[in-house]
Amino acid sequence: SMTCEPRSHVGERINQVEWLSQSSFEVGIDPFGSPPNDWVSIVVDRLLERLPRCLDGDRNRAVLSLPLPWIHYQTAGPDEVERYQRQTHQMFQESLFESDAHIVQWPILPDCPLSILAATASDAACRIAEAVTEVGYSVRGILPHGVAVLSASAALTSLKPRAALVLESSSALVAMSGDGYFGLTRALPGPSSPISPEPKLDEIEPWLETVAAEVQATARFEQRLGQGSAESDAAAPLLICGRIANVQGVDQTLASLLIWPIATWRYVGRTRPDATDSAQSKSKTPTDFELRDAELAVPLSLAWCCVSDLDPSRGRSS
């Protein structure tokens, strides 16, 4: 849970935001274990139990992302969309979700006939949105992780990446960026065995090699569709985030494997919770909290997506 508030400063746009608070908690499910049949209920109960309450009379706005394994991505041509939609509904109905799918669609490139279909279980999404609403939040929407990170990257990191790579302990996702659109998005293979709570580079290096190969294949596929490889694109970094992006040496390893500039997600705004007034926060040495920025990239990006177009008098976003 992240809280941002829009601030208006003299000579600045009103969508400048300040990062006011941060809290987190574990859902308590082994990402490498067999998913329990009551997976959704466990998540809902945990949210109701641990999600920070809003102040009396206040109703904070919120934008959500669902767990990476809950989202299915499919590339479809114009003649395939209807068939893939039927197949996706059937897939989710026969899964532990036992639900129809909620599907969104966007083009891979402008004027490109191929689209990305992103689907999740409709019942699960609604139950989680209802739980968040029950404890005082106004849910404005549900965004895929890649869309959230790419939307917020320029404002929160001062970067305009060519792509974003989300690296979590059990899953990964790559999302390609373009000028004013969100392009090819793919879920990537997760690690083949459980990752320790505090992993070292040699433990995850074989997985990073697989991830790098998939990122390269994704970039080549997008280029074949017509984007090309302009010099500006070649110079734009791959922005990495997620818990595994914090592991020392991951950025250098990916840079060597991909021959591509790598930037680890780092918040560059003026305000940071719990460290704003400390002597350490004013020095050039990052605090321990700052070193966790990559892990917090998705929730903070969601908060920015919610608040960025609001008038400063209209409240907060979480």
Side-chain angles (χ1 to χ4, degrees):
S1 172
M2 302 289 176
T3 302
C4 288
E5 186 173 64
R7 297 288 192 185
S8 181
H9 299 277
V10 175
E12 295 183 355
R13 298 174 302 173
I14 64 170
N15 69 349
Q16 294 292 322
V17 295
E18 295 184 354
W19 181 3
L20 300 181
S21 70
Q22 181 266 327
S23 64
S24 61
F25 52 88
E26 296 291 336
V27 175
I29 297 175
D30 180 4
F32 287 94
S34 298
N37 291 331
D38 58 347
W39 195 1
V40 179
S41 295
I42 292 172
V43 173
V44 168
D45 291 344
R46 194 68 166 165
L47 287 172
L48 291 173
E49 173 190 351
R50 297 295 302 275
L51 197 64
R53 270 40 179 179
C54 302
L55 298 175
D56 289 344
D58 200 359
R59 196 163 187 82
N60 290 353
R61 294 164 174 82
V63 172
L64 311 178
S65 271
L66 301 180
L68 279 173
W70 290 18
I71 306 173
H72 173 73
Y73 294 93
Q74 178 73 58
T75 303
D79 298 331
E80 301 171 310
V81 170
E82 187 174 341
R83 174 165 59 88
Y84 284 161
Q85 287 175 336
R86 290 196 304 269
Q87 292 174 347
T88 303
H89 282 299
Q90 182 179 0
M91 179 182 69
F92 277 98
Q93 288 164 354
E94 295 176 355
S95 71
L96 63 85
F97 295 105
E98 297 181 345
S99 166
D100 284 343
H102 175 71
I103 304 171
V104 295
Q105 176 181 342
W106 64 86
I108 291 179
L109 294 166
D111 303 319
C112 175
L114 294 181
S115 297
I116 292 293
L117 304 181
T120 193
S122 179
D123 290 351
C126 289
R127 286 185 62 188
I128 288 177
E130 288 168 357
V132 173
T133 301
E134 184 176 333
V135 294
Y137 295 83
S138 176
V139 178
R140 310 303 295 269
I142 299 175
L143 286 180
H145 298 70
V147 170
V149 171
L150 290 174
S151 296
S153 59
L156 298 183
T157 72
S158 297
L159 296 173
K160 292 185 178 180
R162 180 182 168 193
L165 176 63
V166 183
L167 295 168
E168 298 294 353
S169 59
S170 62
S171 52
L173 175 104
V174 63
M176 307 302 294
S177 176
D179 185 12
Y181 64 89
F182 302 102
L184 186 58
T185 302
R186 294 182 60 214
L188 305 181
S192 57
S193 59
I195 292 177
S196 59
E198 298 295 334
K200 301 298 183 182
L201 181 61
D202 58 355
E203 177 186 350
I204 59 175
E205 201 160 9
W207 177 45
L208 293 178
E209 293 176 1
T210 301
V211 167
E214 294 293 339
V215 170
Q216 287 175 324
T218 303
R220 287 195 300 266
F221 178 69
E222 189 185 45
Q223 289 171 7
R224 287 198 301 269
L225 292 176
Q227 175 154 319
S229 55
E231 291 183 5
S232 59
D233 291 334
L238 172 66
L239 184 62
I240 62 173
C241 62
R243 191 172 76 87
I244 301 305
N246 283 333
V247 176
Q248 186 174 6
V250 164
D251 51 352
Q252 296 98 322
T253 298
L254 288 173
S256 298
L257 292 168
L258 291 167
I259 318 299
W260 192 348
I262 303 294
T264 303
W265 201 99
R266 179 67 58 83
Y267 171 73
V268 295
R270 61 161 53 83
T271 302
R272 176 184 296 275
D274 303 330
T276 303
D277 298 324
S278 71
Q280 187 178 21
S281 72
K282 295 176 182 177
S283 72
K284 297 299 183 182
T285 303
T287 65
D288 290 342
F289 190 54
E290 286 175 289
L291 294 176
R292 295 183 59 236
D293 281 0
E295 183 177 343
L296 306 174
V298 171
L300 189 53
S301 295
L302 291 168
W304 182 89
C305 288
C306 188
V307 79
S308 60
D309 60 349
L310 298 180
D311 182 272
S313 65
R314 293 174 60 188
R316 298 181 178 185
S317 171
S318 300

